[in-house]
Amino acid sequence: MRLLLTFFLLYALASPLCGQNQYIDSLINRIGDLQVAETDANYPPGLFPSQRAYLPGRKAPKEDDNIFFTGLIAWTLKSLKEELSARNQAIVDAMTEKAVANYYRYQNKDGRPVYNFWQTNPSRHFPNSRYFSQRKKYIIPDDLDDTSILYLSAAFSDSLKLVVKKLMADNANGQKTKIRNTFRRYKKVPAYSTWFGKNMPVDFDICVQANGMRFVLDNQLELNQFDSATIWLMKDMLIARKHIKRPHYTSPHYQNTAVILYHMARLVAAHSAHPLLADLKPLLIKDLKREKQQAKNGMEQVMLQTSLIKLGEAGGEQIVVSQKDSDRFYFFVANMTSVFPNPVKGIFANSRKTNFFYRSQAYYLTLLLENEVWRLKE
């Protein structure tokens, strides 16, 4: 009888449906509290707030109703849902449903099944900016990053996924135009571009490409020469240490070695058996360990620890992130010179004067939730 009781007790403790620790409960509640409940001057209901900063520390940040962070939160919560308690699963479902209800606002203005960073019809580019929001020339095209994230976070038909896959190929390097601002070695590589825009220059970003390949591989879409070229490009950049030596040039929209490694680990961990990705795991583990020893910001350390655990390594103790570290961490960057030709891009890629820096407290809490769930799984 005692043995049977012990068995049921262990089962209850191990089952995600029977309970959750207070830290996870607290994080999920805090994320939910940050989701916009009613329309206000800055956000429609269901979005998670984020801020755009120009010259951080010198100018006040502005509220920015992009879909990027809301999509990332929905995708991450979706990936963690099965590990959560029944109560927390219900909360996640409710949050995700409210978030996804906003996706239509960001769809291509002509109805194509791709998505924009900002609302499109009418355009709400650079919200709360007196200068940029009033000028149509600053409207940005739809992009692979937001499109991939939204498709990975919600249910879309197979027919729409195939349309997106074709658009990815149509806008790859060399199809409409050739890239003018990458390393010489990669100028002829037919890899995927960040942008879907008709007249937009080709732009390589290793993090955007990693998210694009998650979309392709997660949905088991047929691979073509653009997929293999994109994977080769990412691998070669990692082997050549481009993400360490020149992160601002390798990933103009993220610009941070820790964030680049997080993206690459997320891709490789999900598809570690793929023949084109399998040999990346040892290299990523080595880089993640080295970067974790050097990282000074707590949010960077959290992402690096999560990435190591996903790749099968020991994570270690829970990392406590100070509010100061959270406030100073910017996950995403809007780079005004990312499509400029060389040498302009190389000169200004790292300039604070040509970048807008983005943060979202709700997404940072989601990263902490992801870290805790993976630590417990370990």
Side-chain angles (χ1 to χ4, degrees):
M1 184 64 181
R2 182 178 298 174
L3 182 62
L4 187 62
L5 183 62
T6 302
F7 171 79
F8 279 115
L9 179 61
L10 289 173
Y11 176 81
L13 291 172
S15 174
L17 299 179
C18 293
Q20 212 83 55
N21 69 36
Q22 290 183 349
Y23 182 51
I24 288 179
D25 292 342
S26 172
L27 287 172
I28 290 176
N29 289 334
R30 290 169 66 190
I31 295 166
D33 289 343
L34 288 172
Q35 190 170 29
V36 177
E38 298 179 359
T39 301
D40 60 27
N42 295 306
Y43 301 99
L47 255 62
F48 292 94
S50 65
Q51 293 75 42
R52 180 183 74 246
Y54 179 67
L55 297 177
R58 292 175 54 184
K59 295 192 176 185
K62 299 181 184 296
E63 296 298 317
D64 190 298
D65 65 339
N66 62 80
I67 198 62
F68 173 76
F69 283 111
T70 295
L72 278 175
I73 292 169
W75 178 22
T76 308
L77 292 176
K78 176 185 174 183
S79 72
L80 301 175
K81 179 183 169 181
E82 296 304 317
E83 304 297 330
L84 302 176
S85 67
R87 171 189 172 275
N88 286 335
Q89 286 186 6
I91 296 174
V92 164
D93 284 340
M95 284 194 288
T96 303
E97 182 178 357
K98 294 174 186 176
V100 172
N102 284 285
Y103 286 6
Y104 77 95
R105 304 176 190 273
Y106 300 82
Q107 188 175 348
N108 172 265
K109 63 182 179 63
D110 298 320
R112 293 196 303 175
V114 290
Y115 291 85
N116 202 289
F117 187 75
W118 287 307
Q119 294 186 42
T120 57
N121 214 350
S123 176
R124 273 182 54 83
H125 55 291
F126 285 99
N128 296 312
S129 168
R130 293 182 180 179
Y131 181 80
F132 291 103
S133 65
Q134 303 301 316
R135 289 162 172 78
K136 290 185 176 180
K137 67 179 181 178
Y138 293 115
I139 297 176
I140 61 174
D142 309 320
D143 64 271
L144 176 60
D145 209 21
D146 287 288
T147 298
S148 298
I149 290 167
L150 298 196
Y151 271 77
L152 287 161
S153 69
F156 289 85
S157 69
D158 291 341
S159 60
L160 290 179
K161 294 172 186 176
L162 291 176
V163 174
V164 173
K165 184 68 159 57
K166 184 178 185 305
L167 289 170
M168 290 169 64
D170 290 345
N171 290 275
N173 185 35
Q175 294 304 103
K176 295 178 180 177
T177 184
K178 296 180 179 179
I179 193 166
R180 303 177 299 167
N181 58 6
T182 188
F183 300 98
R184 183 178 300 177
R185 177 176 174 81
Y186 308 127
K187 284 189 174 182
K188 295 183 179 180
V189 178
Y192 290 130
S193 175
T194 299
W195 307 104
F196 289 121
K198 182 178 179 181
N199 300 312
M200 199 71 172
V202 175
D203 170 48
F204 285 166
D205 185 304
I206 194 172
C207 293
V208 176
Q209 291 168 334
N211 287 338
M213 290 311 304
R214 274 297 303 261
F215 163 72
V216 171
L217 296 174
D218 280 29
N219 289 291
Q220 299 181 332
L221 302 178
E222 184 177 355
L223 302 184
N224 55 32
Q225 70 270 31
F226 306 110
D227 300 302
S228 57
T230 300
I231 293 176
W232 179 88
L233 176 77
M234 293 187 294
K235 288 175 61 175
D236 198 76
M237 284 187 172
L238 290 173
I239 293 170
R241 324 291 287 169
K242 304 291 188 187
H243 60 302
I244 296 172
K245 298 175 183 177
R246 299 189 68 183
H248 301 83
Y249 198 75
T250 304
S251 178
H253 306 289
Y254 291 88
Q255 303 192 5
N256 182 313
T257 297
V259 177
I260 294 172
L261 288 171
Y262 174 80
H263 278 79
M264 294 306 303
R266 184 166 60 184
L267 170 64
V268 171
H271 300 282
S272 57
H274 194 283
L276 295 177
L277 294 172
D279 57 347
L280 270 181
K281 184 176 176 179
L283 175 62
L284 283 174
I285 290 173
K286 180 180 178 181
D287 285 351
L288 285 162
K289 288 181 176 179
R290 189 202 69 257
E291 197 66 24
K292 188 171 181 291
Q293 290 179 339
Q294 299 176 357
K296 297 179 180 179
N297 185 282
M299 285 305 307
E300 292 179 353
Q301 291 179 355
V302 164
M303 290 190 299
L304 294 165
Q305 183 186 61
T306 302
S307 300
L308 282 167
I309 298 172
K310 287 182 178 181
L311 293 175
E313 295 294 304
E317 297 298 318
Q318 183 186 102
I319 297 170
V320 178
V321 180
S322 68
Q323 190 60 50
K324 181 179 179 181
D325 274 0
S326 178
D327 291 342
R328 290 184 175 183
F329 178 67
Y330 295 95
F331 182 80
F332 178 79
V333 181
N335 186 319
M336 292 187 287
T337 62
S338 66
V339 296
F340 280 39
N342 288 335
V344 177
K345 175 185 172 181
I347 294 172
F348 292 100
N350 195 23
S351 172
R352 290 168 63 85
K353 293 183 178 180
T354 59
N355 290 300
F356 292 94
F357 299 87
Y358 282 81
R359 68 179 309 280
S360 168
Q361 184 63 28
Y363 182 55
Y364 295 171
L365 292 173
T366 306
L367 289 173
L368 295 180
L369 174 65
E370 178 187 42
N371 178 263
E372 180 67 5
V373 170
W374 276 92
R375 282 196 332 105
L376 292 179
K377 285 178 66 174
E378 178 196 20

